[in-house]
């Protein structure tokens, strides 16, 4: 609002705008699965101008407020919990404000398929192991008759010989 202030040294009356701190800065964000983008939508009063800065993982991303709205699109995040802050710098009408939030990037669900064909007695056996996952890494380990076998990544064929 606008208030009348009196200068202490001259007695003149001045009109000066006082920034409003009585408003809401809302945001929405949802948990996602690894590989999906995280979108943080911020809503301020429709006539708000200026900038909102997102602080996440010691990184700052600043975007311009348009018609009271701004969105942040975060890509390629690892699985885990994330805390963040949103800092609105304020403008001629609205005072600065900071809000805090969090979201979770869940691990991609995986499925391990094992295929072993029927074979005659004393024949060679192949075991096909397939990991259905987004960007799989690491090893597939299994045990057969007490022996440990390790394969890497998405698909591996193990030649067990005769059993």
């Amino acid at each position: 609002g606008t208030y009348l202030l009196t200068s202490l040294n001259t007695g003149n009356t001045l009109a000066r705008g006082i920034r409003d701190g009585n408003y809401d800065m809302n945001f929405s964000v949802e948990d996602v699965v690894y590989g999906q983008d995280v979108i943080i939508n911020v809503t301020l009063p429709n006539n708000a101008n200026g900038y909102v800065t997102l602080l996440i993982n010691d990184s700052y991303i600043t975007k311009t407020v348009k018609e009271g709205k701004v969105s942040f699109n975060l890509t390629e995040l690892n699985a885990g919990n994330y805390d963040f802050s949103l800092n609105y710098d304020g403008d001629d009408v609205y005072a600065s404000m900071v809000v805090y939030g969090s979201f979770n990037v869940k691990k991609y669900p995986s499925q391990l398929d094992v295929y072993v064909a029927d074979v005659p007695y004393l024949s060679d056996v192949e075991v096909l192991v397939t990991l259905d996952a987004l960007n799989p890494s690491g090893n597939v380990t299994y045990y057969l008759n007490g022996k440990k076998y390790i394969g890497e990544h998405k698909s591996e064929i193990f030649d067990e010989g005769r059993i």
Side-chain angles (χ1 to χ4, degrees):
T2 301
Y3 298 88
L4 294 178
L5 303 176
T6 303
S7 172
L8 294 175
N9 56 356
T10 64
N12 294 333
T13 301
L14 305 171
R16 175 158 174 84
I18 304 298
R19 296 195 304 175
D20 185 358
N22 188 22
Y23 68 95
D24 290 326
M25 179 167 66
N26 298 307
F27 67 87
S28 63
V29 63
E30 294 184 13
D31 291 347
V32 297
V33 174
Y34 175 79
Q36 295 177 327
D37 294 352
V38 173
I39 299 171
I40 302 173
N41 292 309
V42 181
T43 305
L44 293 155
N46 288 339
N47 62 337
N49 295 303
Y51 302 94
V52 173
T53 300
L54 168 68
L55 171 59
I56 185 167
N57 285 352
D58 297 323
S59 295
Y60 295 90
I61 305 168
T62 300
K63 296 228 176 166
T64 302
V65 176
K66 293 181 182 173
E67 298 179 0
K69 296 182 180 5
V70 64
S71 290
F72 296 90
N73 188 17
L74 308 175
T75 61
E76 300 179 17
L77 293 174
N78 291 324
N81 292 311
Y82 292 85
D83 295 320
F84 64 88
S85 66
L86 295 161
N87 181 12
Y88 173 54
D89 291 342
D91 62 15
D92 292 341
V93 177
Y94 299 103
S96 62
M97 180 182 287
V98 178
V99 294
Y100 301 91
S102 63
F103 61 87
N104 183 30
V105 177
K106 301 172 192 169
K107 291 183 178 183
Y108 188 85
S110 59
Q111 179 178 337
L112 184 66
D113 293 320
V114 178
Y115 174 76
V116 180
D118 291 335
V119 294
Y121 180 68
L122 294 177
S123 297
D124 287 347
V125 175
E126 279 190 352
V127 177
L128 174 63
V129 179
T130 304
L131 176 62
D132 176 26
L134 183 69
N135 300 321
S137 62
N139 296 321
V140 175
T141 303
Y142 75 98
Y143 295 85
L144 179 63
N145 291 332
K147 186 175 176 185
K148 181 178 179 179
Y149 297 90
I150 299 174
E152 294 182 3
H153 307 298
K154 188 168 184 164
S155 183
E156 189 73 27
I157 295 176
F158 300 93
D159 185 0
E160 303 310 324
R162 294 182 185 191
I163 56 173

